Amino acid sequence: MEILADIIVIPKDDPIAFTFFTGYMAMLAASVFFFVERSSVDGKWKLSLLVSGLITGIAAVHYYYMRDYYLATGENPTALRYIDWTLTVPLMCVEFYLLTKVAGATKSLLWKLIFASVWMLVTGYIGEAFTDGSTEHSVLWGVLSTLGYAYILYTAWFGEVAKLAESSGDPVVVRGIRTLAWFVLVGWAIYPIGYMCMPGGWLNTGLGWSSANVDLFYNIADAINKIGFGLVVYSIAVSSKK
Ligand SMILES: *C/C=C(C)/C=C/C=C(C)/C=C/C1=C(C)CCCC1(C)C
């Protein structure tokens, strides 16, 4: 973690720095892919592909800044991270809405999902950014945040989104929404696990991790969720015949 005459040096033994750089490139490449492929899918899926490209594009720009911030300070770029998520997670809610719109998804469903995601992120931010290192603080805000997460999870698996997918009568959409619901269940769970490994968190004891270690979890999870989510949307767009 040193800056030599404006040249940024990546330490050979720093996996966190490594994932910031690969994460950046992967997000950028994914955006190019989604934007270019937009022209090869049926008209009704073009907006969904645009949103996929925006999600990875917004993340790429944030990664560009976060990796430099991390290299320069050795610290967790909490504010940049949450600004990124506050833009990209609601856009993932827009993806759910667009995919189920043919089956009658309403604006009110979209707003409920966006509200839940903003709730999850604002409370998570308070938990991380204003921590005094105590377990009380970490747990209180972590639990409040999890309420928003649980709402999105429920909606995707059993609630409105799942029901609308079912009534679309299109097996490709049904399968696609189910795959996205798996991403929310498994891929998104990596974030709270990382959160709990931070000082004050339930999983921190014994590990003795600093708060920068959380970036390893967040970087891997972001690559899986943002690029993976977009690829599922892409595969729905190319395989749905209707
Ligand atoms: C592209 C970014 C994504 C999909 C970010 C998702 C973030 C979460 C699901 C974060 C969840 C959290 C909790 C459920 C509790 C602890 C605090 C958070 C914000 C890490």
Side-chain angles (χ1 to χ4, degrees):
M1 259 154 275
E2 48 182 331
I3 298 177
L4 299 173
D6 293 335
I7 298 171
I8 295 171
V9 176
I10 309 174
K12 289 190 271 298
D13 57 351
D14 187 341
I16 300 175
F18 184 82
T19 55
F20 269 120
F21 276 75
T22 45
Y24 168 59
M25 259 347 279
M27 295 291 181
L28 191 63
S31 299
V32 173
F33 178 81
F34 295 133
F35 286 141
V36 170
E37 283 303 309
R38 199 179 156 268
S39 62
S40 68
V41 302
D42 192 71
K44 71 179 206 278
W45 300 113
K46 287 194 194 298
L47 193 53
S48 304
L49 258 83
L50 176 67
V51 175
S52 293
L54 287 177
I55 291 170
T56 49
I58 291 168
V61 175
H62 284 84
Y63 269 75
Y64 178 83
Y65 289 104
M66 287 196 290
R67 41 164 235 194
D68 287 356
Y69 179 98
Y70 172 76
L71 276 185
T73 65
E75 281 173 22
N76 173 14
T78 310
L80 281 166
R81 177 78 73 185
Y82 276 84
I83 294 168
D84 171 339
W85 289 352
T86 308
L87 297 167
T88 52
V89 181
L91 282 174
M92 293 171 118
C93 299
V94 171
E95 295 280 39
F96 275 123
Y97 167 73
L98 290 175
L99 292 172
T100 50
K101 210 171 142 213
V102 269
T106 58
K107 286 264 159 51
S108 106
L109 165 66
L110 175 62
W111 285 114
K112 279 184 279 184
L113 288 172
I114 290 179
F115 179 80
S117 62
V118 172
W119 169 270
M120 173 180 89
L121 296 171
V122 169
T123 49
Y125 183 69
I126 297 172
E128 277 191 45
F130 303 105
T131 180
D132 51 4
S134 73
T135 302
E136 292 76 44
H137 181 92
S138 172
V139 171
L140 169 66
W141 294 99
V143 167
L144 287 174
S145 173
T146 302
L147 295 176
Y149 175 40
Y151 179 81
I152 300 171
L153 197 55
Y154 175 82
T155 308
W157 275 93
F158 313 106
E160 257 181 276
V161 167
K163 290 189 189 124
L164 284 165
E166 216 59 63
S167 68
S168 73
D170 183 345
V172 174
V173 172
V174 176
R175 239 179 307 120
I177 290 287
R178 182 47 60 100
T179 310
L180 292 180
W182 273 108
F183 270 94
V184 176
L185 179 65
V186 180
W188 289 26
I190 302 170
Y191 300 97
I193 293 171
Y195 175 94
M196 286 189 283
C197 289
M198 284 197 284
W202 274 345
L203 300 177
N204 186 258
T205 14
L207 290 172
W209 279 11
S210 78
S211 62
N213 288 101
V214 76
D215 288 304
L216 198 55
F217 287 88
Y218 289 174
N219 291 351
I220 290 168
D222 272 358
I224 293 172
N225 292 305
K226 292 183 165 64
I227 300 171
F229 221 81
L231 287 173
V232 173
V233 172
Y234 170 72
S235 82
I236 294 174
V238 291
S239 38
S240 169
K241 295 283 169 285
K242 294 206 270 171

